[in-house]
Amino acid sequence: MKTYALVGTGGRSGLYIEAITGKYRHNAKFVAFCDTNQTRMDYANRQLEQSGIRRVPTWKAADFNTMLDETKPDIVIVTSMDRTHDDYIVRALHAGCDVITEKPMTIDEQRALRILDAVDATGYQVRVAFNYRYAPHHSKLRELLMQETIGEVLSVHFEWLLNTEHGADYFRRWHREKRNSGGLLVHKSTHHFDLMNFWLNSTPEKVYAQGDLRFYGRENAEKRGVTGSYPRAHGYPQATKDPFALHMEDSAQLKALYLDAEHEDNYFRDQSVFSDGINIEDTLSVLVKYQNKVQLTYSLNAYLPWEGLNVVFNGTKGRIEMKIVEMSYVNAGGKRENEGSIEKAEITVYPLFAEPWKAEFQLGEGGHGGGDNAMLEDLFGERKDDPLKRAADHRAGAMSILTGIAGNLSMQYDKPVYFKDFELVKRLRQPK
């Protein structure tokens, strides 16, 4: 049985707590929780007790090393704020632990180099929780491309839509500050850029990006005639009729995790999406040229009527179109199995000089199109051979964030950014 310590007991941690106290309780057990906030750790322990499992010791973030020394976990699960991932990953590796980290692995090149150095120095492993790789429709697309169903892929158009419930949520919480999250090109698009690397079996050569804050934020709201700004939903009558407001008192989980924990750290989970202080983009366009010469056009918009994606692959023998509509949700605001669950999934193959046909696949059940359950089985269940090679290590984690990092640099300097100029890429492309 493997032992686990978890650092960061916010909303995303519940995925791992429910897995280890439920289906995988005979394969895995927690030995410690770590966070900056005691109230959230106490809530995590109540989840254990509700599953008939004894509480585990809790440690404040400043005592992370002491926790590792005294509890000696086999594996550390990192679900803390993005900008802190590298610190916990590096210290866990040097303490003799493997690591499972939520995406993004980290938010900039220097932090990623620290992780790479620690992996090289210690020999321990980092797994990045790219659940979207495991969703059956994404796996099916990988299979079709591996079989050269449309011949050699020449170009891709990838459009991701975030709606006014899930998309807006990134502008209520700590993600709204780029120093915490790297912006949506790193925090959210790391999923999509990883899928592209995964689908194409290649990595970028050149990136050019444009982006701006066009919908959210106080200035944009005022331009549209929206007035009556308020800093947060709780305690402000102006928020009562605002469809963008998050009312944490209406969700037992959000209340316990955040509203009841505010007295410790003054973290407000329900900030107005039309307030000041937002410095990430909500409208993004990216051009990518891959090493295998594939051209990608990518867009991300965070204020649309529905949630999901359109992706199109054009090849020498035809075209593949995939459309996915996901269920709308607020992170930790409802049942976990509904987060990103599938409302519609369709893959159509258009061969040259032949009739189009629908690819057959089993719709995934549960969060993120079934990706959550399949990933958890890979992490905590019996390991099986996977011809699709969906498990993602630190190299995959680094390559996925680098597309977003390059995009941020491209927006900053208004010019293309070349992967060959990254020290991290030079290291990653060296023979193993």
Side-chain angles (χ1 to χ4, degrees), residues 214-230 272-276:
R214 297 297 309 278
F215 185 82
Y216 298 108
R218 184 169 182 170
E219 183 179 359
N220 290 319
E222 290 175 347
K223 285 179 181 177
R224 296 193 298 274
V226 178
T227 58
S229 178
Y230 56 90
S272 169
V273 299
F274 300 120
S275 61
D276 292 321

Side-chain angles (χ1 to χ4, degrees), residues 78-316:
V78 179
T79 55
S80 57
M81 186 183 294
D82 295 351
R83 66 174 169 82
T84 67
H85 285 186
D86 67 302
D87 184 46
Y88 294 124
I89 292 169
V90 168
R91 286 196 277 169
L93 291 171
H94 281 290
C97 306
D98 290 325
V99 175
I100 297 169
T101 182
E102 263 300 314
K103 61 82 195 167
M105 186 176 74
T106 187
I107 63 171
D108 61 36
E109 185 188 17
Q110 292 307 310
R111 286 177 167 92
L113 281 168
R114 288 191 66 220
I115 294 170
L116 186 60
D117 288 341
V119 170
D120 289 345
T122 66
Y124 288 96
Q125 297 181 336
V126 175
R127 286 283 300 272
V128 183
F130 282 133
N131 48 4
Y132 271 123
R133 286 188 175 206
Y134 294 85
H137 48 282
H138 293 154
S139 296
K140 183 63 178 182
L141 186 50
R142 161 89 158 173
E143 180 185 319
L144 291 170
L145 294 171
M146 289 174 68
Q147 293 169 349
E148 299 186 352
T149 304
I150 56 169
E152 180 186 0
V153 176
L154 304 179
S155 67
V156 184
H157 175 66
F158 191 164
E159 176 189 25
W160 195 279
L161 300 85
L162 290 167
N163 68 6
T164 50
E165 186 171 9
H166 183 213
D169 207 35
Y170 294 113
F171 298 83
R172 298 184 184 111
R173 45 192 175 136
W174 54 261
H175 309 72
R176 70 199 330 244
E177 295 184 55
K178 189 168 278 194
R179 70 183 184 89
N180 291 330
S181 65
L184 290 181
L185 273 189
V186 173
H187 176 82
K188 181 62 181 176
S189 299
T190 187
H191 267 314
H192 315 146
F193 297 139
D194 175 68
L195 283 173
M196 286 303 306
N197 296 343
F198 174 65
W199 284 331
L200 295 175
N201 194 30
S202 188
T203 54
E205 181 180 278
K206 179 171 60 175
V207 177
Y208 179 71
Q210 293 187 3
D212 207 346
L213 181 65
R214 297 297 309 278
F215 185 82
Y216 298 108
R218 184 169 182 170
E219 183 179 359
N220 290 319
E222 290 175 347
K223 285 179 181 177
R224 296 193 298 274
V226 178
T227 58
S229 178
Y230 56 90
R232 60 171 304 192
H234 185 69
Y236 285 83
Q238 303 98 305
T240 304
K241 296 182 179 180
D242 182 0
F244 287 93
L246 178 68
H247 302 288
M248 293 189 289
E249 60 273 18
D250 295 340
S251 165
Q253 187 171 0
L254 288 175
K255 181 177 182 298
L257 278 172
Y258 300 108
L259 190 59
D260 294 347
E262 288 178 356
H263 65 281
E264 290 193 50
D265 54 16
N266 291 315
Y267 171 56
F268 303 130
R269 171 69 175 78
D270 61 345
Q271 296 174 82
S272 169
V273 299
F274 300 120
S275 61
D276 292 321
I278 299 172
N279 60 17
I280 63 171
E281 300 83 11
D282 57 23
T283 306
L284 291 149
S285 301
V286 186
L287 296 174
V288 184
K289 183 74 172 290
Y290 287 82
Q291 280 196 303
N292 62 2
K293 306 306 179 185
V294 173
Q295 301 172 40
L296 166 70
T297 59
Y298 169 84
S299 69
L300 175 72
N301 297 279
Y303 42 81
L304 297 179
W306 60 274
E307 177 102 0
L309 69 92
N310 292 304
V311 64
V312 175
F313 288 77
N314 300 307
T316 57

Side-chain angles (χ1 to χ4, degrees), residues 24-89:
Y24 303 103
R25 64 193 300 159
H26 301 299
N27 300 356
K29 72 173 183 178
F30 284 113
V31 293
F33 292 139
C34 181
D35 201 295
T36 57
N37 190 293
Q38 187 63 50
T39 301
R40 279 195 286 276
M41 290 190 285
D42 291 343
Y43 179 75
N45 261 324
R46 290 200 297 275
Q47 290 178 276
L48 264 59
E49 289 180 324
Q50 289 167 4
S51 300
I53 296 172
R54 294 177 60 182
R55 287 177 169 246
V56 298
T58 59
W59 306 79
K60 284 297 186 71
D63 299 317
F64 180 72
N65 281 9
T66 305
M67 177 197 75
L68 296 177
D69 290 341
E70 295 194 10
T71 63
K72 293 182 169 50
D74 297 311
I75 300 172
V76 173
I77 300 174
V78 179
T79 55
S80 57
M81 186 183 294
D82 295 351
R83 66 174 169 82
T84 67
H85 285 186
D86 67 302
D87 184 46
Y88 294 124
I89 292 169

